[in-house]
Structures are given as structure tokens and as C-alpha cells.
Amino acid sequence: MPGASLEGSGWKPREYGRGAANVTGRNTTRWPEAATGLMDKIISRGNMMAAYHRVVTNKGAPGVDGMPVTALKDYVQEEWPRIKEELLAGTYVPQPVRKVDIPKPGGGTRMLGIPTVLDRLIQQAMHQVLSPLFDPGFSESSYGFRPARSAHQAIKAARQHVESGLRWVVDLDLEKFFDRVHHDTLMSLVKRKVGDRVVLYLINSYLKAGILEGGLTTARVEGTPQGGPLSPLLSNILLDELDKELERRGHRFSRYADDCNIYVATRRSGERVMASITGYLSERLKLTVNQAKSAVDRPWKRTFLSYSMTWHLKPRLTVAKKAVGKLKANLKTIFRRGKGQNIQTTVEETIPKLRGWINYFRYSEVKGIFEELDGWLRRKLRRILWKQWKRPKTRAKNLMQRGLSEATAWASATNGRGPWWNAGAAHMNKAVPKSYFDQLGLVSLMTQYHRLQKTS
């Protein structure tokens, strides 16, 4: 753990202990006792126990040292006196984060920086103490990564702004926001509420912790990669400056993390806002607006947190087309595996995705898409069955077993049409009705939607 160096070829990521530390070396500065008051709260037993419970509950992959979450308890029990001393003295050095690239829904990749479980524990403990200092002062129009706030609240606020007559949106996309956070700008904002120099040093150390990829550690001079418990709070501290600027100018907006929509009355005013806010972000916060993905447009032509809305004077929320396409792509991956397995297994694999998807889109007021997806889903499953039956004789036999006459079964089995056509034809709808999938436990999006409406 903190204390050694990554120099040489003997460093082994799979070995956790006192071996792997930041390439920048070890800080030897010792702060006066009066400067460590906030750190005392962070490392207090109650706060650390709460942080430990959260980290263990969240699970997550190991960092660069290979330590799994299950090994954290024994390690901390053995090493805590040393760790505590280093934290209080301002000599603790975080380990590099493990780089992981994950695909983004709209294409490209998003970089995650996975800290070690020990660093996740310390970051979580810091978050629990720092969040109450900053969160009460955040904007009412900020909804991401905050207690008792959600994406659904952000979406509903956006609809209210449009309903009030602000029927143009300045849709801002910040280019690689988490990778481009300017450290000095962020730290100057943190210092407004944090006077503990040991805590400031530790936050800065986490910002500058290296990134390990392919066995090599790269120093970080900007950004706060997603993956650590502290990054969401730091992002809100920085973007609260944008919120306050928008409020100072009298704008109505809704922001969730780095997704920010500003609502205005005319296209011309939207274009003025886009130009001035782009300049503000660049000059004051050192952030870049992605011109290709940002736009001044009608709200019903844009997507906000995977929702869109209708053009009516009282707009209705609806599922964005990209979100439907993403769900279909995820399900198609399951269906490809389903060709060689029991249909029951395939249905069971779809259940978590379908339940999670409909739970998120429970506030959509345009219900037709759920019925359409239900039909598409059953047709894909019927297609799997048709392909599994393979030969005309097997198809005719299965159709007859499911209630079709011999003549109809043989005519259907030998029609020469493809699997997708047959999956939507009358003979398969009759032989494999909706009730068959209900018995297998297939989630009906429409049925689940109505249930959620009753409990909302």
C-alpha cells in the first residue's frame, strides 16, 4: 500500500500489501495539528464504519493492487494504525487508478478510473463528511449525485419549463467533462469551504493519482475520472459555478451531472445564450462545449436523460428513440445466445433488463412504445423457437402439438418463408400465444407500466 514505488519490473498488480503506491513518490510534509480538524471527522470510527458498509455493498472490481472487496476488512484491521497515522500526518499517497474504457450509448467510449478498494473506502469516508458542507449551497436546478434527488426530478423540471412557455432548449454537451476538469480551478472552489490543509492535500492527491494501463502509469494533470466515490461531488462543486451563473442571468434550466438543458422563449435568445455560456465555460471553468453534439432546438427534437417530450402546449414525456434502440440492441445480444438454449433460460435473462428499463421509463406518458416493444419481444422469441425446430417435419409436429390442424401445420411448416416472417405469422401467434410467454415469466412492459402507475 502507500509507501513504496512502482519503479522497476518487480511490481506486481495482483499483490496487495505495502508494495504499490503512486509513482510521484511519498509526501513528507507534516501539517500542524490545528489544520487537521476535518480529517479527524473523516477518520472517526462511525464515519469509517459507514463508509466500509457502503463500499462493501457496492462491491466493484479490484484496483491496480488486485485486492477484492472481500479482503478489505482483514487488511484494514491489520493496517489501520499506519493508514490513520499517514492520513492525519498528510503523508498518505493514493495508488494509481486502473483504467477501464466502457462503450457509450451514442458511440465512442467513456473512461473509468477504478481506485483500489482502500482508496474507495477513504474517498467514501471523505464524501460523507464533505457532502454536507457543499450540498446545501448547490442550485435547486441541480439533480445529479445529490441526496433525495434523481434523474426523474430533472426530467419533470424540464417538462415544466417547456410547459411554462419556454419552448426552445439550449442543449449543452460538455466535451469529455470528467476527463477535462481543470485541477487548479476545482481546488480553488473546494478551498472556499474546506480549510483543512491535510484534506485539501488528499483531494489534490486523488485528482493527480496516476492512471495504470498496460503496466504503465501515466501522470494525470487534468480530469477526475469516473469510478471513485469522490468524483461526483467534485464535479458538482465545479459545475455549481455554471448553475450560479445561469441563475444570476435569470435562466431556467435543469442539470444532471454534466447534462445541462437551458430553456428559453426564442431561437435567437437561445443562440445568444449558447454563445455566451460557451465562452463562460471556456474562460472561467476551462471546459469545452462539444459543438457537434450541442444545439439550440425544440425540446421535442432533443433527448434529455434518455427522455424526450411531445410538441403539445402541455407536453407529455416519452421514451427517446435512442433509448429504444439501445434496449433492442441489448436484448438482441441475449437472443443470439438463445439459439442454442432452452427458451425459458432466454426469457429469464431478459427479465432484469426489462424490469430496470421500464422502472426508469415509468414516467413516460406516451404508452404506445411499450405495447410495440412487447410485440417485438414476443416475435423475437417466436423466431428463436422457429429456428430451433429447424426441419419442416419438426415444425409441423410442434405446431400440431400446440393446437393447429394437420393441414394448417404442414402448410405453415413448408411455406418457404424466413424465420422473421413466420415469427409474425398467424400460425405462430396461435401456436405460441402471449399466455405461453406469461407462463414462462416474461415481463410485459405494458403490464408492468400500469402496475407502476398505480404505485406512483
Side-chain angles (χ1 to χ4, degrees):
M1 298 309 295
S5 171
L6 293 180
E7 296 177 357
S9 59
W11 181 73
K12 299 178 181 179
R14 293 297 303 172
E15 295 179 1
Y16 50 87
R18 296 183 66 96
N22 196 309
V23 291
T24 57
R26 185 180 183 86
N27 173 53
T28 58
T29 303
R30 288 186 175 271
W31 306 108
E33 186 177 351
T36 63
L38 201 58
M39 182 58 77
D40 286 331
K41 294 181 181 179
I42 291 170
I43 64 172
S44 66
R45 178 175 175 80
N47 190 58
M48 292 303 301
M49 289 298 293
Y52 171 80
H53 177 74
R54 186 65 178 270
V55 170
V56 170
T57 300
N58 289 343
K59 299 180 180 178
V64 297
D65 61 357
M67 183 194 294
V69 172
T70 52
L72 180 60
K73 181 179 180 180
D74 289 342
Y75 180 81
V76 171
Q77 285 179 339
E78 181 180 348
E79 298 289 339
W80 180 242
R82 173 186 59 81
I83 297 168
K84 179 180 179 180
E85 179 185 355
E86 291 181 356
L87 289 170
L88 285 172
T91 60
Y92 181 86
V93 180
Q95 294 192 58
V97 297
R98 182 168 61 87
K99 183 181 178 182
V100 177
D101 290 318
I102 59 172
K104 296 173 66 174
T109 60
R110 173 180 287 112
M111 188 191 83
L112 295 184
I114 309 299
T116 64
V117 290
L118 175 61
D119 282 325
R120 294 209 293 273
L121 173 68
I122 296 170
Q123 285 194 36
Q124 180 61 37
M126 295 174 71
H127 183 279
Q128 291 166 182
V129 171
L130 295 176
S131 182
L133 293 179
F134 288 94
D135 190 82
F138 287 157
S139 169
E140 287 298 313
S141 298
S142 166
Y143 298 92
F145 309 128
R146 297 184 61 191
R149 287 176 171 259
S150 68
H152 289 145
Q153 292 174 328
I155 293 160
K156 290 177 181 178
R159 178 184 58 185
Q160 289 171 359
H161 294 325
V162 177
E163 188 175 341
S164 73
L166 303 175
R167 296 174 67 80
W168 288 89
V169 62
V170 180
D171 187 353
L172 290 175
D173 183 278
L174 298 178
E175 188 171 349
K176 295 184 178 180
F177 167 71
F178 284 93
D179 299 340
R180 300 282 175 83
V181 169
H182 190 262
H183 290 174
D184 290 345
T185 302
L186 174 58
M187 287 305 300
S188 69
L189 297 173
V190 173
K191 289 176 183 177
R192 291 179 181 178
K193 291 186 180 294
V194 176
D196 187 324
R197 287 178 289 173
V198 177
V199 174
L200 290 172
Y201 160 76
L202 189 55
I203 293 172
N204 195 53
S205 296
Y206 275 121
L207 288 174
K208 291 181 170 16
I211 301 173
L212 183 70
E213 182 182 20
L216 298 176
T217 300
T218 304
R220 191 162 69 221
V221 296
E222 63 178 1
T224 171
Q226 299 176 75
L230 203 53
S231 290
L233 175 61
L234 296 178
S235 69
N236 269 336
I237 291 171
L238 182 64
L239 289 177
D240 187 60
E241 290 297 291
L242 169 62
D243 299 342
K244 295 299 191 291
E245 179 65 16
L246 293 174
E247 290 173 347
R248 187 183 66 79
R249 300 183 185 189
H251 291 310
R252 305 274 290 278
F253 66 97
S254 182
R255 182 178 68 79
Y256 187 94
D258 57 331
D259 288 319
C260 184
N261 278 5
I262 308 164
Y263 296 89
V264 295
T266 67
R267 174 184 285 277
R268 180 172 293 183
S269 60
E271 290 171 346
R272 286 198 301 267
V273 170
M274 175 68 83
S276 62
I277 291 300
T278 297
Y280 171 83
L281 287 167
S282 175
E283 294 169 16
R284 296 289 296 275
L285 300 184
K286 314 301 181 185
L287 296 173
T288 303
V289 172
N290 187 326
Q291 298 295 338
K293 294 183 178 180
S294 301
V296 176
D297 208 340
R298 295 293 196 178
W300 46 90
K301 294 182 180 181
R302 304 297 293 181
T303 296
F304 183 49
L305 302 177
S306 297
Y307 273 81
S308 189
M309 62 183 77
T310 65
W311 52 267
H312 301 89
L313 289 177
K314 188 174 181 178
R316 292 179 293 165
L317 294 175
T318 184
V319 182
K321 291 181 180 179
K322 285 184 179 181
V324 175
K326 183 181 177 182
L327 175 67
K328 285 185 174 182
N330 288 336
L331 292 174
K332 284 177 181 178
T333 302
I334 296 175
F335 297 149
R336 282 193 289 270
R337 293 196 298 267
K339 297 176 183 178
Q341 64 187 17
N342 186 284
I343 196 71
Q344 174 77 63
T345 303
T346 302
V347 167
E348 289 174 355
E349 286 188 42
T350 68
I351 291 174
K353 290 187 179 295
L354 293 173
R355 288 194 186 279
W357 194 86
I358 191 60
N359 188 60
Y360 183 74
F361 290 107
R362 64 193 297 176
Y363 295 104
S364 173
E365 297 158 292
V366 179
K367 299 179 286 187
I369 188 61
F370 303 134
E371 190 171 7
E372 178 187 329
L373 281 169
D374 277 343
W376 175 85
L377 179 58
R378 290 192 293 270
R379 186 170 180 178
K380 295 292 284 188
L381 292 169
R382 291 187 184 108
R383 180 177 181 270
I384 291 173
L385 286 172
W386 187 260
K387 294 187 73 173
Q388 286 180 343
W389 293 345
K390 293 183 180 178
R391 294 186 293 273
K393 181 178 180 180
T394 305
R395 289 170 177 167
K397 177 182 176 183
N398 277 290
L399 291 173
M400 285 187 282
Q401 287 177 347
R402 294 167 182 267
L404 273 66
S405 67
E406 183 176 358
T408 301
W410 276 105
S412 301
T414 57
N415 62 32
R417 300 274 192 165
W420 183 245
W421 185 92
N422 278 282
H427 55 270
M428 279 299 282
N429 277 269
K430 183 177 180 181
V432 192
K434 178 181 180 297
S435 58
Y436 169 79
F437 295 113
D438 290 342
Q439 291 173 358
L440 293 179
L442 180 67
V443 172
S444 165
L445 294 174
M446 181 61 83
T447 301
Q448 193 70 12
Y449 173 78
H450 286 305
R451 286 176 182 168
L452 290 168
Q453 294 307 299
K454 291 178 181 179
T455 60
S456 295

